[in-house]
Amino acid sequence: KHLARPLYERFVKLFVGNFSRKQNEKFLGFVKKAFDNADYKKLSQCFLKASSMGLKKVRPGEGNNKSRKSSEGGEEKGKTVMEWERFGKEAKKFERQRIASSSGLAFTFTEGILVSAIRSGSWVLLDEINLASSETLQRLFGLLDGEGGTVTITERGDTKEVKRHKDFRIFAAMNPATDSGKKDLPSSMRARFTEIYVPELTSASELREISSKYLSPHIARASAPVDPTKSPIYTTIEAYLKCRELSETTLVDGNNHKPRYTLRTLCRGLAASVSLMTVNKLPLHRSIFEGFQLAFNTQLDPPSQSLLHKTLTSILLPSPLTKKELDQPGQQPKSYSPTPPVLLKPFWLTSGPNDPVDWASLDTSTNTSKFVLTKTATKHLRSLSRCIASTPYPLLIEGPTSAGKTTLVSYLAARTGHRCVRINNHEHTDVQEYTGSYIANA
């Protein structure tokens, strides 16, 4: 299937560009079915038939030329002919590989994303380019030498360069070498680029534009304050800039390092706030407060958490909320699963396929419970529930050995009816433990 997929995608693009999709819907459906069912014999026959039909139509003097668009110039016709001829060669090659693979494995050289982009004229972004190895960067030098720069696939034994499409462009991005775990880009590589520096966005007016995109539709439905500076659009940015200021002077995370708050942190807090408003039906100001608690506060050590909690309360809430008010859930959301959502105060969580089990309940036979909900455990569960209720982002739980991290997740999964699969990582963990591997058929 790895060999058939790129050829099938090229076939669809070529075929619908030269033939009516509607008139050939049955044929296209037949080809798709052969591809989906891995019926490579039928698929190969379809490719060969399509290449013959395509060449017959686009070659001058062959087929019904009246059906071709009159606006097509000679250059465009020639390009289309070359595409069909190339597809025909690849279809014949695929048929040979199919026959050869019937008695064993078939191997072929598959071009990478960069080579495909050079041929097709796509734009390529090399993200985190300074993390690539020196050997990898060395192969890019020829591609960066002027507007005609390209590469030669020596691994396949080619002696000719890959023809570069006129629309191909290459971009690269990197974090400064001063960031943890980063390294500088070699000067020989850097000299081949035109550089643009993009600083962090700290302008309050521009940040308010971002906040407005998230919150304006929801503020319109709530009672707007008389003073615009008390609007959540203003207070969220005031809170963000205050968090950045405190991170440089006072706050530390669980590893005693300065926390780093960026535009991504702000957007995550705003997105979580909107989700809590729309799904958990919490009031406007409280949703924003909970969203910012999630994005800015949970990674800090206890003293810093206490300080930032007070700071966010004073900026984001019109008046401080009591513990009872903070634990007040919103209206139960509509459930799209067979079972209703589960309430872990104050958040409603989507239930899983299994029956919810509360490990904190007493077992009548032993008069004990599997899990003890202490004040600290309840606080951690609240933070976990807040994140699950408001964002689809992955969660990282950090803490010393035997602090209860695994049990917290297991309890929450059982409480909401989800199955929790534990993968115990160690220094010898291999990617095959995540994705699978071939084993002997005993």
Side-chain angles (χ1 to χ4, degrees), residues 182-290:
K182 303 300 164 74
K183 61 181 181 180
D184 208 352
L185 197 65
S187 57
S188 55
M189 171 66 74
R190 186 185 286 269
R192 286 172 161 80
F193 286 97
T194 298
E195 294 189 40
I196 299 175
Y197 180 72
V198 182
E200 282 195 83
L201 181 61
T202 56
S203 167
S205 59
E206 292 185 58
L207 290 169
R208 282 195 288 269
E209 291 181 37
I210 297 172
S211 179
S212 177
K213 290 294 182 182
Y214 282 92
L215 301 179
S216 286
H218 308 281
I219 294 174
R221 292 195 292 267
S223 55
V226 177
D227 184 357
T229 61
K230 299 299 182 182
S231 165
I233 294 174
Y234 279 75
T235 57
T236 50
I237 302 309
E238 181 185 350
Y240 170 62
L241 295 176
K242 186 63 177 178
C243 288
R244 285 177 59 93
E245 177 188 331
L246 290 174
S247 70
E248 294 295 329
T249 58
T250 310
L251 303 179
V252 291
D253 62 18
N255 291 316
N256 206 33
H257 297 150
K258 290 181 179 180
R260 178 166 170 74
Y261 300 133
T262 64
L263 186 61
R264 179 180 296 172
T265 317
L266 171 64
C267 292
R268 184 167 293 184
L270 292 170
S273 303
V274 172
S275 179
L276 290 170
M277 270 185 276
T278 56
V279 179
N280 263 256
K281 310 298 182 183
L282 294 180
L284 173 65
H285 289 92
R286 184 165 157 222
S287 296
I288 295 172
F289 174 74
E290 296 284 3

Side-chain angles (χ1 to χ4, degrees), residues 278-320:
T278 56
V279 179
N280 263 256
K281 310 298 182 183
L282 294 180
L284 173 65
H285 289 92
R286 184 165 157 222
S287 296
I288 295 172
F289 174 74
E290 296 284 3
F292 271 61
Q293 284 279 93
L294 180 153
F296 292 88
N297 203 8
T298 53
Q299 69 269 45
L300 304 178
D301 69 357
S304 297
Q305 284 189 12
S306 178
L307 172 63
L308 194 60
H309 179 89
K310 293 176 182 177
T311 303
L312 294 177
T313 298
S314 64
I315 297 175
L316 297 175
L317 297 176
S319 59

Side-chain angles (χ1 to χ4, degrees), residues 366-384:
T366 62
N367 202 31
T368 60
S369 61
K370 189 176 180 179
F371 186 75
V372 179
L373 277 175
T374 63
K375 181 179 179 181
T376 301
T378 303
K379 176 185 176 183
H380 295 324
L381 283 172
R382 192 184 195 282
S383 297
L384 283 170

